[in-house]
Amino acid sequence: MRTTILFLAVALAACSSAEPGAPGVRLTARVDRSLVQSTDSVRISLTLTNVSAQPMQVMPAEAYGFCMHAFEVFDVRNRPVSVAQGLCALVSIWVPAPVTLRSMESIEINDWWKPAESSIDGAPLVPGAYVLRGRVFAGDQLARSAGRTVVVQ
């Protein structure tokens, strides 16, 4: 079983190597570990870079985390994983102001994925390979990174 899971993880990583991004930006993602227990947390670190010649308004790093995550997760069948989020009434009161990224400037965004607090169609996650992909707002578009595979034991 462990060999099958690791094979699937390598296959997913190979399929997810292209950086899809969005025009004018580059979003790269790193995870702090690729093999975890379901009760562990995975830190996903993102670097959003304005690769265009024009300044761009982006959501600040502090906009992501408890209320809105900077990533999305999929299982090996490409089904979306529901990631726990806080109920944030404060979002209607406090909306962080966008920041301006000049050409070739970057911001760093860190977020956490907790497999034990995630589900697929309401069911807890089963052991297996999952793909985390950065997803942040840049200008009037949604930027996505290449996927990073994490195996949950």
Side-chain angles (χ1 to χ4, degrees), residues 1 20 23 43 45 54 79 81 85 91 100 111-114 116 148 150:
M1 176 70 175
R43 180 180 177 175
S45 300
Q54 302 299 317
R79 294 182 300 174
V81 171
Q85 298 186 106
V91 170
T100 301
D111 206 345
W112 294 88
W113 177 49
K114 298 176 182 177
R148 300 294 173 245
V150 174

Side-chain angles (χ1 to χ4, degrees), residues 20-78:
V25 296
R26 180 177 59 236
L27 183 63
T28 57
R30 299 171 306 287
V31 292
D32 67 342
R33 54 182 127 176
S34 57
L35 183 63
V36 297
Q37 299 298 315
S38 64
T39 54
D40 291 337
S41 294
V42 177
R43 180 180 177 175
I44 182 166
S45 300
L46 306 167
T47 303
L48 178 66
T49 306
N50 178 2
V51 294
S52 74
Q54 302 299 317
M56 178 179 293
Q57 298 283 308
V58 301
M59 293 296 293
E62 60 270 11
Y64 299 98
F66 186 69
C67 296
M68 177 176 60
H69 289 291
F71 64 90
E72 54 195 359
V73 184
F74 299 91
D75 73 356
V76 294
R77 294 175 29 199
N78 206 33

Side-chain angles (χ1 to χ4, degrees), residues 107-125:
I107 61 168
E108 297 292 323
I109 302 164
N110 293 293
D111 206 345
W112 294 88
W113 177 49
K114 298 176 182 177
E117 296 178 10
S118 299
S119 63
I120 295 179
D121 296 329
L125 298 185

